[in-house]
Amino acid sequence: HRLDRNTTGAMVVAKTEGAHWHLYEQFARRSPDKRYLALVHGEVAQDAGLIDLPLGRHPYDPIKFAVVEGGKASQTYFKVREVYEGFTLVELKLLTGRTHQIRVHLAHLRHPIVGDVVYGGRQLKTGDVVRQHILAGKSMPLSQMLIARQALHSATLSIHHPTHETRLNSTAPAPFDLANTIWLLRQHRLVRLVDPIKVDATVNLDAVILAQQD
């Protein structure tokens, strides 16, 4: 189990060798349920869907991955949670676990993750979210950085306990940079909210997006 560098959120760590192998087998069977939140560029038109595109090494850049013919089968479910002017908050579930899978799949759909400069995303500053006339007279400069890394967060993780087999469900609150950016988007650029029941979404946004700002 791993997260890409600068991706935040829930992870599981084994404390004993027996627990390690039990967890290893779970992840090999893909029985854990992992849900991610990503803030992406653009307004995603379809509320839910399956991205089923094979992934492999980028043909020209050895540190990147890409959608390639003959690549490994890769599937990602996406579910739109909130739409803003120019951005979308998406919940994602991996059916496979390829390196950079979420990042590459979303970039291929022309909705790269905010801050993911490797795959076409842009870092966000206050002026990218809050309009200049609203900032007039306030202490938030247009150039203040909001998020400088990929806006991808492992929001929930559900596994079987390696000893007594009960289901363990964990929720990781988003760090301030992501939560605050979403809060500002809700205040200044909200277009619509998507009914989580309609798209079978499971992440409780109130438990993940905690930041507020005066």
Side-chain angles (χ1 to χ4, degrees):
H1 176 48
R2 66 186 185 276
L3 295 176
D4 291 345
R5 182 181 180 184
N6 294 325
T7 295
T8 56
M11 291 187 68
V12 60
V13 178
K15 296 177 68 175
T16 67
E17 189 66 18
H20 169 261
W21 283 108
H22 192 286
L23 291 169
Y24 174 84
E25 291 174 354
Q26 287 189 55
F27 281 96
R29 297 192 306 267
R30 310 223 180 271
S31 62
D33 186 40
K34 297 182 290 182
R35 303 296 174 111
Y36 293 79
L37 290 176
L39 180 63
V40 304
H41 292 283
E43 299 173 26
V44 178
Q46 187 177 343
D47 283 349
L50 173 66
I51 307 170
D52 188 359
L53 297 168
L55 300 183
R57 286 283 181 183
H58 194 284
Y60 309 116
D61 189 335
I63 70 168
K64 294 172 63 174
F65 290 79
V67 173
V68 294
E69 185 177 352
K72 294 181 179 179
S74 308
Q75 296 89 30
T76 306
Y77 275 119
F78 72 89
K79 302 166 184 186
V80 170
R81 301 299 306 271
E82 299 180 357
V83 180
Y84 322 104
E85 294 176 24
F87 305 93
T88 305
L89 181 64
V90 185
E91 178 179 325
L92 302 122
K93 178 181 179 180
L94 295 175
L95 299 186
T96 53
R98 311 303 179 200
T99 303
H100 297 183
Q101 178 174 319
I102 290 174
R103 299 163 64 190
V104 177
H105 271 171
L106 291 172
H108 187 79
L109 297 185
R110 299 186 178 182
H111 291 292
I113 297 174
V114 164
D116 190 359
V117 295
V118 173
Y119 290 107
R122 292 186 298 105
Q123 298 174 343
L124 289 189
K125 298 180 180 180
T126 303
D128 297 316
V129 174
V130 184
R131 290 172 175 79
Q132 187 171 1
H133 73 276
I134 295 176
L135 286 174
K138 295 190 176 182
S139 59
M140 287 190 298
L142 290 171
S143 60
Q144 178 177 313
M145 184 65 70
L146 290 178
I147 189 159
R149 48 120 189 146
Q150 67 257 22
L152 179 60
H153 181 69
S154 174
T156 64
L157 174 62
S158 178
I159 61 170
H160 282 104
H161 192 283
T163 302
H164 47 74
E165 289 294 326
T166 55
R167 196 74 178 173
L168 294 178
N169 302 304
S170 300
T171 298
F176 180 79
D177 58 351
L178 177 57
N180 188 56
T181 301
I182 292 171
W183 187 87
L184 287 172
L185 286 166
R186 287 172 172 174
Q187 296 300 307
H188 300 284
R189 289 183 175 267
L190 183 64
V191 174
R192 63 188 180 94
L193 305 175
V194 176
D195 183 352
I197 297 176
K198 173 186 174 184
V199 295
D200 193 28
T202 63
V203 174
N204 179 356
L205 295 184
D206 290 337
V208 178
I209 311 301
L210 303 178
Q212 291 192 1
Q213 180 176 319
D214 293 331

